[in-house]
Amino acid sequence: NCLLEYPRIQEHFPTLLSNWHRLASEQQDSLEGFFGMLVHPEIGVEHQFLSVCAACEELLYKSSGQEIEFRKVIQEFCARWSDCIESAPSSDLIEQLVNARHYYAHRTHKRSKKAARGFLLWRYTYFLRALYSLEALQLLGMPRQELADLVAYNYDLREKLNRRYFPSIDDPSDPRG
């Protein structure tokens, strides 16, 4: 139930399980960071955000064999799942994610006013968690089209990918807000 609910992946469970051991050895740091965040929900949103950022970076690094800056990681993941995201993240939103990552990792004052906070940071954390989940499930052998279908029929996942999961009171770009 950490990535998606069992009934949603039941048909592919034998393949996913057999691929898990391979992926666990190839992506140990990424998976430990991601699942560590999930099993310790008491850590603050800033730490959850940093954990999922690091997990995403590590996942792409281990898959590609080259270090990629966080901005490119987000762009790459969003491009891969663009058919599942109703409104592609703007360059301003990606910049805000990058600023938040740098601010919470290094507490640099020059980025403090640009970093997401409150509900907006929660929203971005869940957005990255959803992207990571899709990437991990695809690496485990879940067919790409079935993952896209899951997003279409899974309200919770769709809301996270479309950055609508939390109230928008602190997001001036949100038309509901």
Side-chain angles (χ1 to χ4, degrees):
N1 273 352
C2 284
L3 295 176
L4 287 175
E5 298 85 18
Y6 178 73
R8 299 274 187 193
I9 61 172
Q10 184 173 359
E11 175 184 333
H12 301 285
F13 189 73
T15 301
L16 298 173
L17 186 59
S18 68
N19 288 337
W20 173 256
H21 297 289
R22 174 192 49 80
L23 188 66
S25 67
E26 292 172 4
Q27 294 281 353
Q28 180 178 356
D29 293 336
S30 173
L31 292 169
E32 284 178 0
F34 183 77
F35 287 107
M37 169 195 59
L38 294 180
V39 299
H40 294 289
E42 70 278 359
I43 65 173
V45 64
E46 295 89 357
H47 294 290
Q48 288 191 37
F49 178 76
L50 286 174
S51 291
V52 74
C53 288
C56 289
E57 289 173 310
E58 187 68 16
L59 187 76
L60 197 55
Y61 169 72
K62 292 285 185 155
S63 299
S64 68
Q66 55 187 340
E67 200 150 325
I68 300 170
E69 67 177 40
F70 184 61
R71 176 181 291 100
K72 300 276 188 208
V73 171
I74 299 167
Q75 291 169 336
E76 178 74 25
F77 283 1
C78 289
R80 289 183 194 178
W81 299 101
S82 63
D83 59 322
C84 298
I85 301 172
E86 293 169 18
S87 175
S90 67
S91 58
D92 288 345
L93 186 143
I94 291 173
E95 197 60 32
Q96 191 171 34
L97 286 167
V98 170
N99 283 325
R101 182 210 172 277
H102 289 301
Y103 174 68
Y104 292 115
H106 308 293
R107 294 294 177 178
T108 57
H109 294 290
K110 68 180 182 177
R111 294 182 191 254
S112 68
K113 291 186 183 348
K114 299 176 184 176
R117 300 182 192 307
F119 284 125
L120 193 56
L121 187 60
W122 276 112
R123 185 184 295 172
Y124 292 166
T125 301
Y126 276 68
F127 168 65
L128 293 173
R129 284 171 58 170
L131 286 172
Y132 183 94
S133 296
L134 292 171
E135 288 287 324
L137 285 166
Q138 189 172 22
L139 287 173
L140 286 170
M142 188 98 170
R144 171 71 175 74
Q145 186 55 52
E146 290 199 33
L147 287 169
D149 292 344
L150 283 174
V151 171
Y153 294 104
N154 185 316
Y155 177 81
D156 186 63
L157 186 57
R158 196 171 58 250
E159 290 296 290
K160 290 173 183 173
L161 281 174
N162 289 295
R163 301 162 317 277
R164 296 187 297 241
Y165 202 69
F166 286 94
S168 60
I169 58 174
D170 53 0
D171 182 1
S173 67
D174 189 326
R176 299 172 304 146

